[in-house]
Amino acid sequence: MARRSGGGMTVAEAGRMGGRLVSEKYGPEFYEKIGKKGGSSTANKYGPEFFGRIGKKGGKAVTAKYGPGHFERIGRKGGQKVADLIERAKALEAEHPAAVAKMSSKSSSKKRPATSPRT
């Protein structure tokens, strides 16, 4: 969008500035909280199957835009990244076994909340 005469901000600039200020004031937890509220409200209004419908619609749009092999390509790319990270971790563990043991004992003491599987 173009700048307004008189030096005012565009709508995009004002939105960006407002978003940054809200983020600084309330932090990332705020966005998580309002996102959950919005998701719950949407599920109550349209039903939980609504998310499946819009997901399929989005998937079809992505397939139309990038081609039928797109999801396979990005899946392979992600899988390769995970394999590379595992190999890198194994190499670091071989070089510094005491440091890795210390790190893994710290991470195992932090309990993650249980999550329900995606449907």
Side-chain angles (χ1 to χ4, degrees):
M1 290 188 143
R3 247 185 212 282
R4 294 182 179 185
S5 61
M9 284 184 230
T10 65
V11 172
E13 290 168 331
R16 200 171 8 264
M17 178 187 249
R20 190 181 74 246
L21 292 172
V22 168
S23 178
E24 290 171 2
K25 184 174 181 179
Y26 296 107
E29 297 83 15
F30 172 76
Y31 291 102
E32 183 179 341
K33 186 177 177 181
I34 63 172
K36 285 182 180 180
K37 279 185 177 180
S40 295
S41 175
T42 301
N44 289 336
K45 186 173 182 178
Y46 299 105
E49 65 282 344
F50 173 75
F51 297 108
R53 287 195 311 270
I54 64 172
K56 284 180 183 175
K57 185 176 180 181
K60 287 178 182 178
V62 169
T63 299
K65 183 174 183 178
Y66 296 106
H70 173 71
F71 290 109
E72 182 179 345
R73 286 190 300 275
I74 64 172
R76 287 188 191 281
K77 187 176 180 181
Q80 186 59 54
K81 180 70 171 180
V82 169
D84 293 346
L85 288 171
I86 290 170
E87 287 303 313
R88 194 167 136 206
K90 286 179 181 178
L92 285 172
E93 186 175 29
E95 290 176 22
H96 309 286
V100 173
K102 184 178 178 182
M103 286 174 52
S104 66
S105 68
K106 282 184 180 179
S107 66
S108 65
S109 65
K110 294 179 184 176
K111 296 207 177 215
R112 298 182 74 196
T115 57
S116 60
R118 289 186 176 188
T119 56

